[in-house]
């Protein structure tokens, strides 16, 4: 040990972009995830916990958000292999589905919760380790599986405390978009790789509809767009006749967005209301005409129709789940339906301006991920909940009622009677009350009360030699004490109404009374 | 995507030494950890979840088990720093205690549960990622903190289902051992680094007492020892007069081990029983004479005395917690009391031979870990539970009664009536019953029942067109069905007593009846 005593001490710092979670941060997240797991379990999903480490080979090229160049994984070499921390829970699922394909039931419904790691440049609100919470069905080709995931997502949001009306699950289908791209002449069914670059720009432009508005998107489909800072983003270079069907596609979503707003009471016009209360038929009709003769496009519209009718039959109406063509989802690997859960209430941002909370979950169908390993196409669909965002939303709405009270603190007046104090704490615990003995240096009694304050303790128990001789204990109501200290006059304060003396045998009863009242 | 279709497919394999956990493996561990967290919480401990990644600098040289050369961490370079996965939960705690020392309460009681990673050569039963579950108190110099940890450990073991009598927490003190080493002439208080090599050999030899017996340990203290394979392990090279106090130290523990066996009913001799029922005074007396004039040795005996009396006052007698000089704990960083929880019941090993289950938790006082960062000594003590071993013990004793039943499966007889089937599943779920619709290809009905079988489903729900027209459903008791299939004659089997037809509106009631009976 003496060797470590050199002048250079290690820095006590969480590595850049990582963070530590204390107390309620841990228990509140756990409470939320337990509720979500309950919903998934009731739907027949089984838990899966894969190793945090994968071979880079197994993770493959399926890194998310390909337009950010700094993107990556934490990786290291080991003999001939490269190993890496998983960057999501989907890639490991694809590996598991291939590796255990003879043992797993088909379809395989699984949920997974845990940290993932991204080797990104850290920034404000951008962390390199965060939680995901996923549910996926592997081996079900039917869009009934997609519908189930959407319905389950709605149930999960309500279960954790987001009431109906405060969220909406938006559903789209990549095939419809592909149909529209075919019509726009940037997708050739006979040469799927042609125009890949242009389609990438189109996808990202649509993804930014919320932020840029229709005119901004149109500019990105054409020559390009100059943003407020003066920076120019090169566009896809499409001509007007190519842009038209894509803009029409986005417009088809307006029905939905309007009527969602109505459902959520943001627009009060009863005329608009009666016209758009069920937007599904209108949207589907518009999409059908937009995809024209495209086979894949027609298939996509048909799938959306099936999803909508399955959901409607189970009572998931447009107040909870809607068809919305503007949903794209960035990931390249989606092949069919895509979905996104958005919280529709407003919160105040750091500058006090109201803004929509936005997306907390997303997913879709990815039929080609398992194929990488086995060569055989395996249909799969699933959703991922952004755990930190959903937690932040629940906190913003005051829906996390975690008990942040600290333990009852039994103070130490007489170092030699530690056993007596530990007995008191044990009695309280046996009665189900969180309690501990002060274990710092007991010399300075003020420090003991400061400690109780820091722990947010509701009650302190005090027994000096005199009290022990008389067979009594002092019970101090620390919350009331703090209130009195803040508000009362000096005389009131000195009379110590927050402190009661009770017989030693009444310790548990008196503490319980105070906690009940608190 | 087409680019990935080359001839070289990635291997679908968990990296060597890692593993995946499915279904009950996940839920059983979670149930156990939740119970332990409950005990820690009631004792006033707060949860802490640090990042999985630390700087190598912060992890420092405190790698465990220094006598294994392949030992290490998973590390990678990033700019000027080296980052690594944490190898335990104690090193991150030391970093946090230093980093947040102005914000945390003193003492700081925290618990942590999560995976840790070791870059070891994988082997049978040796994994490179595993769970730990720790509780530590930082900033409490009093051995009352050590006593509390020991008592809490006993409570935690009982809470998860290890009954009193099936475990024992053994307590020792490094200071006593240092006192004995001083007497043996291999520790010089004025030059603590001298004889470090010899002391290392002695520590490891004592740690092997269980396996090698007293004669094996004696050989390792002297010239060395040849094992059954003929391999020779070089000893510490001590002379007989140096070996004597160390062997006396080990012998002092015999009282304890004998009386522990008595308490646990393994020895029935009432004569031995009456002599040794409370071994503590005898052990302490023996230790006192062994440490002779060593100041640190006397201090250690005094601390053990305090711990024993604090525990006795709270009713933690030698049936649960004992003083045992043979407990050493491998880690170099312990500076005072050390403890270990051992399960005392026998299980059958893979060859059917009975053997003691052994250690499931260990810990001790480490007063120098935080000092590395701050230069100031911070007293700390804590325990780590080996999660996988404790789980294995509970399973071996049949104490994990996880509900391994799968969901009720609503089968699909008519693809077009998917919405009806989903409605049935939703009704069952609303009644709190785990249920799902079969989402594979419904063509082959046999596959649907095979699926239900693989899921260990208790009940299948069946409704074809005829049943739908009549307003009824078929409810199939799959557990009874399996029993009949195994035992019944062909005629009995054909009469299908495991299948009942009920009106559609009785679906939930009938399924509930069957599940209650099952």
């Amino acid at each position: 040990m003496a060797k470590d005593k050199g002048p250079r001490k290690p820095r006590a710092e969480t590595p850049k972009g990582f963070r530590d979670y204390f107390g309620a941060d841990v228990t509140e997240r756990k409470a939320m995830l337990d509720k979500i797991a309950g919903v998934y379990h009731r739907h027949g999903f089984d838990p899966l916990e894969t190793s945090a480490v994968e071979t880079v080979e197994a993770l493959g090229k399926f890194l998310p958000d390909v337009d950010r160049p700094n993107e990556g994984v934490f990786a290291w070499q080991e003999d001939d292999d490269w190993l890496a921390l998983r960057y999501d829970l989907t890639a490991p699922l694809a590996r598991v589905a291939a590796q255990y394909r003879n043992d797993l039931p088909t379809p395989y419904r699984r949920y997974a919760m845990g940290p993932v790691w991204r080797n990104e440049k850290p920034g404000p609100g951008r962390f390199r380790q965060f939680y995901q919470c996923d549910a996926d069905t592997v081996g079900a080709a039917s869009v009934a599986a997609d519908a189930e995931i959407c319905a389950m997502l709605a149930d999960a949001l309500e279960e954790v405390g987001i009431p109906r009306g405060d969220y909406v699950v938006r559903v789209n289908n990549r095939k419809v978009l592909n149909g529209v791209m075919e019509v726009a002449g940037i997708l050739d069914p006979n040469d799927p790789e042609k125009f890949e670059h242009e389609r990438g720009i189109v996808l990202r432009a649509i993804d930014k509809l919320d932020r840029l508005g229709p005119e901004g998107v149109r500019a990105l489909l054409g020559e390009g767009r100059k943003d407020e800072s003066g920076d120019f983003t090169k566009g896809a270079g499409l001509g007007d006749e190519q842009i038209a069907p894509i803009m029409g596609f986005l417009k088809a979503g307006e029905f939905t967005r309007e009527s969602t707003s109505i459902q959520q009471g943001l627009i009060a016009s009863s005329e608009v209301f009666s016209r758009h209360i069920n937007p599904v038929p209108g949207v589907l009709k518009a999409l059908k005409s937009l995809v024209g003769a495209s086979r894949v496009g027609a298939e996509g519209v048909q799938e959306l129709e099936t999803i909508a009718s399955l959901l409607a039959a189970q009572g998931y109406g447009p107040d909870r789940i809607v068809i919305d063509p503007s949903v794209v989802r960035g990931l390249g690997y989606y092949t069919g339906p895509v979905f996104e859960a958005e919280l529709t209430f407003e919160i105040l941002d750091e500058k006090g301006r109201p803004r929509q909370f936005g997306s907390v979950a997303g997913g879709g169908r990815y039929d080609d991920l398992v194929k990488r390993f086995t060569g055989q196409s395996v249909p799969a669909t699933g959703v991922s909940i952004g755990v930190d965002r959903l937690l932040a939303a629940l906190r913003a709405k005051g829906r996390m009622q975690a008990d942040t009270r600290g333990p009852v603190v039994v103070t130490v007046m007489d170092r030699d009677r530690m056993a007596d104090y530990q007995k008191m704490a044990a009695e309280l615990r046996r009665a189900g009350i969180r309690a501990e003995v002060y274990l710092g240096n007991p010399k300075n009694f003020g420090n003991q009360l400061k400690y109780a304050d820091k722990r947010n303790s509701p009650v302190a128990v005090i027994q000096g030699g005199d009290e022990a001789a008389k067979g009594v204990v002092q019970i101090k109501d620390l919350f009331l004490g703090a209130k009195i200290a803040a508000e009362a006059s000096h005389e009131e304060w000195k009379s110590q109404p927050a402190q009661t003396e009770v017989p030693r045998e009444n310790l548990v009863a008196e503490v319980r009374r105070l906690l009940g009242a608190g």
Side-chain angles (χ1 to χ4, degrees), chain A residues 388-435:
Chain A
D388 294 311
R389 281 190 63 74
L390 184 54
L391 251 182
L394 291 169
R395 288 191 184 122
K397 292 285 271 185
R399 299 269 163 72
M400 288 303 323
Q401 275 121 10
D403 187 357
T404 55
R405 287 192 303 193
V408 170
V409 171
V410 178
T411 58
V412 175
M413 299 295 283
D414 183 352
R415 200 189 281 255
D416 293 338
R417 290 198 302 111
M418 186 56 91
D420 293 344
Y421 300 127
Q422 289 193 327
K423 246 187 266 182
M424 292 180 199
E427 268 174 46
L428 290 166
R429 284 196 289 264
R430 266 196 297 277
I433 296 166
R434 191 179 187 207

Side-chain angles (χ1 to χ4, degrees), chain A residues 131-420:
Chain A
Y131 264 73
Q132 285 192 337
C133 164
D134 285 22
D136 295 80
T137 302
V138 178
S142 159
V143 293
D146 303 272
E148 177 180 75
I149 295 272
C150 292
M152 190 168 74
L153 176 57
D155 286 1
L157 291 174
E158 293 187 17
E159 182 83 10
V160 300
I162 307 286
R164 211 166 292 182
D166 269 358
Y167 72 90
V168 63
V169 178
R170 305 178 187 282
V171 185
N172 190 15
N173 195 325
R174 277 285 173 86
K175 291 180 182 171
V176 177
L177 185 56
N178 285 343
V180 173
M181 300 233 225
E182 223 180 294
V183 170
I186 52 171
L187 178 66
D188 178 351
N190 298 318
D191 184 0
E193 285 182 52
K194 210 173 157 187
F195 305 118
E196 212 172 284
H197 174 70
E198 285 78 4
R199 288 199 302 276
I201 297 178
V202 170
L203 272 181
R204 291 194 289 277
I206 295 176
D207 220 10
K208 291 174 186 154
L209 176 63
D210 261 8
R211 199 149 53 77
L212 305 183
E215 279 319 301
V217 173
R218 173 186 285 273
L220 284 175
L221 298 179
E223 290 311 313
R225 179 177 172 278
K226 195 181 275 188
D227 67 18
E228 294 106 48
S229 75
D231 284 347
F232 186 78
T233 309
K234 204 172 172 320
L238 306 187
D240 283 350
E241 72 294 347
Q242 292 180 290
I243 293 176
I246 298 170
M247 293 308 293
F249 173 75
L250 290 181
K251 212 171 148 53
E254 275 177 23
F255 286 150
T256 300
R257 285 190 295 282
E258 242 176 48
S259 79
T260 307
S261 301
I262 294 161
Q263 302 274 353
Q264 275 136 19
L266 299 178
I267 295 180
S269 154
S270 69
E271 187 242 356
V272 181
F273 185 87
S274 61
R275 191 156 47 91
H276 289 312
I277 181 62
N278 185 0
V280 175
V283 174
L284 290 173
K285 206 176 146 202
L287 292 179
K288 231 175 244 170
S289 95
L290 279 165
V291 298
S294 160
R295 208 176 55 81
V296 68
E299 200 178 297
V301 177
Q302 175 59 50
E303 286 181 1
L304 282 179
E305 214 160 352
T306 305
I307 291 173
S309 77
L310 281 174
L311 288 171
Q314 290 174 76
Y316 293 87
D319 57 334
R320 291 196 269 176
I321 306 183
V322 300
I323 305 293
D324 183 342
S326 74
V327 173
V328 170
R329 307 292 308 155
L331 297 188
Y333 59 59
Y334 291 124
T335 54
V338 286
F339 20 88
E340 190 163 82
E342 191 183 319
L343 302 189
T344 51
F345 54 80
E346 291 189 337
I347 54 158
L348 299 180
D349 68 10
E350 56 284 6
K351 290 183 181 160
R353 292 167 306 202
R355 62 170 184 83
Q356 294 266 307
F357 196 90
S359 171
V360 291
R365 178 164 286 272
Y366 50 99
D367 283 351
D368 292 328
L369 272 190
V370 182
K371 190 180 183 180
R372 290 182 58 233
F373 296 101
T374 61
Q376 289 177 307
S377 189
V378 175
T381 183
V383 68
S384 181
I385 293 179
V387 172
D388 294 311
R389 281 190 63 74
L390 184 54
L391 251 182
L394 291 169
R395 288 191 184 122
K397 292 285 271 185
R399 299 269 163 72
M400 288 303 323
Q401 275 121 10
D403 187 357
T404 55
R405 287 192 303 193
V408 170
V409 171
V410 178
T411 58
V412 175
M413 299 295 283
D414 183 352
R415 200 189 281 255
D416 293 338
R417 290 198 302 111
M418 186 56 91
D420 293 344

Side-chain angles (χ1 to χ4, degrees), chain A residues 45-51 86 89 92-97 100 104 108-114 134:
Chain A
F45 285 68
D46 272 348
L48 168 68
E49 190 178 311
T50 60
S51 62
R86 65 183 179 209
L89 300 173
L93 172 63
R95 192 260 301 158
V96 162
Y100 303 92
L104 291 172
Y108 175 49
R109 284 178 172 96
R110 85 89 179 80
Y111 67 87
M113 300 171 165
D134 285 22

